[in-house]
């Protein structure tokens, strides 16, 4: 059963140069208790996707068509109050930048107390719950941490506090927006392990956004590969990493520095740029940068499925 | 917090001392003989000489300054020329009235400026935002004495809603408050505009901050996000600005007190200048300076109280 099902989602931003189609026909599922990774380079629509799910698109952004099914209900049809009721209780989020993610002038304890505003518990019980959550993310001396302010903690600790806040209401879905990108490598591993541990304890599903392939491979059960606002390939982590179907996924995996076995002065890159989404190409979105381009690529590619592994490419034959 | 307060207090004492030096230098450099001015044209040279010795004007300049400095710190600002009463006492009698005027002006500017700034930031780009924007610039541009005269003409002369002159019956708080409405509006109206613009700008900045996105992602109510999560940060530059604003309100108070014939330090200085009552001018200016520095000290302490980052840095 799916916790989150995204169906043909189209999101458009009104800009001075005309409508910018940031997400086009995006579809994928987040099954219960699974960790789904979304991978793609900057500008592929990862942040737009998160904001669309949370109902926090900028004023000029709009869901044109499609559905975001969360526990069988379509989030795109909800009004702002219903969405607010979802956020923080059923759907929680950990953001990328731990330095700025917490309010600088409100103590950690107060912020954790505010998040629990929907709970019927008394103040003392709520604080006890905050202490318990801080203990679970291994904040030393969690009781006194409540009266401290974000700037008194290190970056890694702030990110763990943010995770504690996100997990506090025991959400059904946790959205993790590049939660380790701003951390150094050792903290990254610890944070990943912490997320895995809490996910197992609480039993939530996780939508994990990252451009770090190693982290995705380590943590996720399924992977969605996005390029320029479209899902080009999706499947299990094993399928994506061992048997990539789409040329973009292949090239992306080759660009991972961790996969380099020989010394080189030049890390591989994918030449070219993301197309202008105000006027996206008619055919395959990746055709301009693809080294195996054919004439047929000027028409829109079909989605081909093989045992749950899907890719949008003319070259893939079922 | 204690060491922060002590540091700010130390700095305030230093600033008052420098202000005293400047004030002393100013009086010293004014041409003319204070003793001659005090005694008038019919005094004899012997009388003038006697007064000069009494006032300490025969001493070297640095001893004169030292005496002025030490006496002033002890609250002795000398005696005024006309009635020979202690300047400190005369100024202190007028101070409450001016303080009430400044506090009233602040109350107007805070009570109108902060909600207007918040409101226009949340509804940015709308009709209300544009109207308040034009209103803000307009009231900033209009000098306070013009506001005072028009307020007087409209609300006292034409509509007869509010009293035109005076400060109200002594002891009758209600009457005094009614007499305070128009003068404090004249003093504070420009600052309504300043504060509305300032709060709007910093609110817009704070509302874009990542932690506001976090608060929204946790489903906190909009009202709590605007007033608790955003405004507490957006207010900080405004608190500092208000400290400076008091200085300008003190000078607007002079006009307001003259237009509305209210007692107060501003009116006192105005009358003292007309009668060349130099010790009174000096004393009143010094008290005003100290008041300004004290209010800025309070503003700094309030910022320290509101912002834990400032508190721990100092």
């Amino acid at each position: 059963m799916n916790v989150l099902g995204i169906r043909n989602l189209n999101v458009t931003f009104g800009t001075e140069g005309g409508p910018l189609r940031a997400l086009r026909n995006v579809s994928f599922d987040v099954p219960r208790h699974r960790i789904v990774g979304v991978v793609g380079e900057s500008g592929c629509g990862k942040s737009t996707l998160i904001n669309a799910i949370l109902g926090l698109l900028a004023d000029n952004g709009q869901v044109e068509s499609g559905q975001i099914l969360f526990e069988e209900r379509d989030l795109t049809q909800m009004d702002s109050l219903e969405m607010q009721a979802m956020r923080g209780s059923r759907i929680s989020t950990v953001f990328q930048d731990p330095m700025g993610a917490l309010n600088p002038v409100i103590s950690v304890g107060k912020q954790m107390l505010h998040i629990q505003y929907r709970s019927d518990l008394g103040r003392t019980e709520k604080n006890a719950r905050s202490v318990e959550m801080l203990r679970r993310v291994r904040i030393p001396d969690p009781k006194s941490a409540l009266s401290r302010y974000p700037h008194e903690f290190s970056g890694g600790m702030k990110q763990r506090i943010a995770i504690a806040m996100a997990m506090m209401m025991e959400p059904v879905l946790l959205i993790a927006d590049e939660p380790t990108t701003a951390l150094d490598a050792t903290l990254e591993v610890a944070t990943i392990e912490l997320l895995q541990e809490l996910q197992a304890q609480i039993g939530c599903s996780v939508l994990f956004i990252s451009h770090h392939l190693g982290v995705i491979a380590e943590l996720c059960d399924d992977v969605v590969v996005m390029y320029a606002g479209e899902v080009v390939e999706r499947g299990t982590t094993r399928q994506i990493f061992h048997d990539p179907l789409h040329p973009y996924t292949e090239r992306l995996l080759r660009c991972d520095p961790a996969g380099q076995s020989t010394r080189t002065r030049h890390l591989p890159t994918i030449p070219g740029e993301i197309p202008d989404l105000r006027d996206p190409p008619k055919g395959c979105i990746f055709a301009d940068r693809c080294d195996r381009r054919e004439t047929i690529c000027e028409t829109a590619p079909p989605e081909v499925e093989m045992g749950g592994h899907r890719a949008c490419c003319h070259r893939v034959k079922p | 917090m204690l060491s922060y307060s002590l540091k700010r207090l130390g700095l305030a004492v230093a600033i008052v001392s420098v202000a005293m030096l400047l004030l002393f230098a100013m009086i010293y450099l004014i041409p003319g003989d204070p003793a001659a001015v005090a005694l008038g044209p019919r005094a004899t040279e012997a009388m003038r000489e006697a007064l000069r010795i009494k006032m300490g004007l025969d001493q070297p300049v640095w001893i004169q300054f030292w005496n002025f400095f030490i006496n002033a710190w002890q609250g002795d600002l000398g005696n005024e020329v006309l009635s020979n009463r202690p300047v400190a006492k005369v100024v202190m009698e007028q101070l409450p009235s001016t303080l009430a005027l400044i506090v009233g002006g602040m109350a107007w500017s805070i009570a109108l400026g902060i909600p207007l700034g918040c409101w226009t930031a949340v509804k940015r780009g709308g009709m209300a935002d544009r109207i308040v924007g034009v209103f803000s610039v307009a009231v900033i541009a209009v000098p306070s004495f013009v506001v005072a005269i028009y307020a007087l003409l409209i609300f006292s002369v034409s509509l007869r809603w509010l009293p035109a002159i005076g400060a109200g019956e002594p002891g009758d708080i209600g009457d005094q408050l009614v007499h305070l409405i128009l003068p404090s509006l004249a003093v504070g109206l420009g600052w309504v505009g300043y504060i509305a613009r300032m709060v709007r700008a910093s609110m817009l900045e704070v509302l874009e901050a990542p932690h506001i996105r976090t608060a929204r992602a946790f489903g906190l109510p909009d009202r709590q996000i605007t007033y608790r999560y955003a405004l507490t940060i957006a207010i900080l530059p405004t608190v500092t600005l208000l400290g400076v604003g008091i200085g300008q309100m003190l000078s607007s108070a002079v006009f307001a007190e003259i237009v509305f014939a209210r007692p107060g330090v501003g009116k006192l200085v105005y009358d003292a200048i007309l009668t060349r009552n130099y010790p009174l001018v000096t004393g009143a200016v010094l008290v005003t300076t100290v008041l300004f520095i004290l209010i800025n000290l309070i503003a700094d302490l309030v910022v320290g109280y509101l912002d834990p980052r400032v508190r721990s840095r100092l």
Side-chain angles (χ1 to χ4, degrees):
Chain A
M1 199 187 93
N2 294 329
V3 166
L4 184 72
I6 297 193
R7 301 277 173 273
N8 296 316
L9 184 66
N10 284 280
V11 173
T12 304
F13 288 99
T15 68
E16 281 176 21
L20 187 149
R21 303 186 58 205
L23 293 181
R24 293 180 309 290
N25 293 317
V26 169
S27 296
F28 66 89
D29 296 319
V30 180
R32 195 166 286 282
H33 303 316
R34 304 264 289 187
I35 303 182
V36 176
V38 175
V39 67
E41 61 194 298
S42 308
C44 73
K46 292 176 290 188
S47 306
T48 306
L49 178 66
I50 297 174
N51 288 335
I53 296 171
L54 291 173
L56 292 178
L57 283 172
D59 292 340
N60 61 341
Q62 197 195 342
V63 174
E64 291 270 296
S65 63
Q67 293 176 305
I68 302 172
L69 297 170
F70 175 73
E71 296 184 307
E72 317 288 298
R73 294 182 64 196
D74 188 357
L75 298 185
T76 61
Q77 300 302 316
M78 286 191 179
D79 64 29
S80 62
L81 275 180
E82 285 176 292
M83 271 317 294
Q84 185 187 306
M86 287 288 161
R87 292 197 294 266
S89 64
R90 311 291 292 162
I91 306 175
S92 244
T93 319
V94 178
F95 288 106
Q96 176 175 358
D97 175 23
M99 298 301 164
L102 305 176
N103 191 295
V105 301
I106 303 176
S107 69
V108 168
K110 282 253 175 63
Q111 294 190 48
M112 296 186 85
L113 199 64
H114 293 159
I115 294 169
Q116 302 178 72
Y117 76 99
R118 285 170 280 220
S119 149
D120 297 327
L121 297 175
R123 202 187 170 90
T124 330
E125 284 95 355
K126 282 181 185 171
N127 277 331
R129 173 125 187 80
S130 304
V131 171
E132 170 56 24
M133 281 316 296
L134 291 176
R135 198 189 313 281
R136 276 161 80 171
V137 297
R138 299 188 199 92
I139 296 295
D141 195 5
K143 225 182 205 115
S144 77
L146 287 190
S147 58
R148 287 159 71 192
Y149 290 88
H151 72 273
E152 298 174 63
F153 297 94
S154 68
M157 272 158 99
K158 265 186 265 195
Q159 191 59 297
R160 297 214 297 279
I161 292 171
I163 292 172
M165 287 176 172
M167 291 294 201
M168 193 152 59
M169 300 312 283
E170 307 204 329
V172 180
L173 175 67
L174 176 75
I175 298 174
D177 179 10
E178 309 215 16
T180 61
T181 307
L183 303 177
D184 58 43
T186 44
L187 280 176
E188 186 162 31
V189 175
T191 308
I192 294 297
E193 283 170 358
L194 185 68
L195 272 176
Q196 264 173 328
E197 188 185 312
L198 287 173
Q199 188 257 344
Q201 282 173 12
I202 290 170
C204 59
S205 306
V206 179
L207 181 62
F208 191 90
I209 317 285
S210 185
H211 57 244
H212 191 320
L213 293 166
V215 171
I216 296 268
E218 177 73 24
L219 182 69
C220 300
D221 302 311
D222 301 316
V223 178
V224 175
V225 182
M226 286 187 70
Y227 177 75
E230 288 180 13
V231 173
V232 293
E233 182 167 3
R234 59 193 165 114
T236 64
T237 305
R238 199 177 168 76
Q239 285 166 341
I240 298 292
F241 279 84
H242 289 273
D243 182 23
L245 295 177
H246 198 282
Y248 176 66
T249 315
E250 252 174 67
R251 299 289 297 269
L252 197 64
L253 292 175
R254 247 187 281 152
C255 289
D256 185 8
Q260 297 299 311
S261 50
T262 49
R263 266 178 84 110
T264 170
R265 295 197 133 266
H266 304 284
L267 290 170
T269 54
I270 308 175
E273 282 168 14
I274 287 185
D276 184 357
L277 296 184
R278 277 170 299 198
D279 183 24
K282 299 273 177 295
C284 173
I285 188 81
F286 187 59
D288 275 355
R289 298 169 80 182
C290 186
D291 50 5
R292 277 172 267 169
R293 182 176 52 233
E294 295 164 27
T295 12
I296 193 170
C297 296
E298 280 160 32
T299 59
E303 190 183 67
V304 182
E305 193 202 334
M306 291 191 294
H309 190 177
R310 295 157 198 261
C312 292
C313 180
H314 287 292
R315 294 182 61 260
V316 179
K317 299 286 176 280
Chain B
M1 191 67 188
L2 183 67
S3 75
Y4 173 66
S5 313
L6 287 177
K7 264 180 213 169
R8 298 299 313 171
L9 196 63
L11 195 59
V13 169
I15 295 170
V16 173
S17 304
V18 172
M20 283 179 175
L21 180 62
L22 289 175
L23 202 53
F24 177 82
M26 197 175 72
I27 311 155
Y28 188 78
L29 292 173
I30 292 174
D33 180 0
V37 175
L39 292 172
R42 277 184 285 171
T44 63
E45 180 57 36
M47 287 163 77
R48 282 200 280 264
E49 186 58 34
L51 186 63
R52 257 185 232 122
I53 291 168
K54 190 168 165 253
M55 289 170 84
L57 295 176
D58 55 333
Q59 308 267 0
V61 60
W62 61 271
I63 293 196
Q64 285 187 45
F65 173 67
W66 183 248
N67 289 338
F68 168 75
F69 187 77
I70 292 297
N71 289 339
W73 274 117
Q74 289 169 345
D76 177 7
L77 299 171
N79 292 348
E80 64 136 329
V81 175
L82 294 178
S83 65
N84 210 27
R85 295 173 64 211
V87 168
K89 196 153 181 271
V90 175
V91 176
M92 284 305 163
E93 278 168 9
Q94 303 295 322
L95 196 59
S97 172
T98 300
L99 273 182
L101 188 58
I102 302 293
V103 170
M106 290 259 288
W108 279 108
S109 59
I110 292 173
L112 293 178
I114 290 179
L116 279 179
C118 266
W119 185 47
T120 49
V122 174
K123 309 244 176 240
R124 64 186 164 283
M127 195 48 130
D129 186 14
R130 265 174 272 171
I131 292 172
V132 174
V134 171
F135 165 79
S136 302
V137 175
V139 296
I140 292 169
V142 177
S144 62
F145 64 88
V146 175
V147 178
I149 290 167
Y150 275 101
L152 196 67
L153 284 175
I154 295 169
F155 294 104
S156 301
V157 178
S158 300
L159 297 170
R160 295 179 181 276
W161 286 353
L162 293 163
I165 56 166
E169 284 299 312
D172 184 349
I173 299 289
D175 192 37
Q176 288 177 346
L177 282 178
V178 170
H179 279 83
L180 193 61
I181 295 174
L182 287 183
S184 60
L185 180 68
V187 167
L189 188 63
W191 282 85
V192 173
Y194 272 120
I195 290 176
R197 297 307 287 170
M198 186 85 179
V199 169
R200 179 183 181 275
S202 31
M203 274 297 272
L204 285 181
E205 198 183 315
V206 175
L207 284 172
E208 292 296 311
H211 60 82
I212 294 298
R213 193 162 101 115
T214 311
R216 289 198 204 289
F218 282 133
L220 295 184
D222 284 345
R223 183 183 290 267
Q224 191 175 21
I225 290 175
T226 309
Y227 294 104
R228 185 81 175 84
Y229 278 66
L231 185 60
T232 42
I233 298 172
I235 203 81
L236 297 171
T238 309
V239 173
T240 313
L241 181 79
L242 261 183
V244 181
I246 300 290
Q248 216 206 329
M249 284 189 199
L250 280 166
S251 60
S252 315
V254 179
F255 298 113
E257 282 165 2
I258 294 165
V259 172
F260 290 97
R262 274 177 67 87
V265 179
K267 183 99 172 25
L268 186 74
V269 173
Y270 176 72
D271 293 341
I273 291 171
L274 289 184
T275 56
R276 303 198 176 196
N277 201 338
Y278 288 137
L280 196 52
V281 176
T282 321
V285 171
L286 187 60
V287 169
T288 315
T289 310
V290 171
L291 187 67
F292 176 61
I293 291 164
L294 268 181
I295 286 166
N296 271 284
L297 176 66
I298 293 170
D300 282 347
L301 292 180
V302 169
V303 169
Y305 173 74
L306 291 175
D307 191 342
R309 294 167 297 182
V310 172
R311 219 181 305 158
S312 67
R313 208 179 306 136
L314 289 147

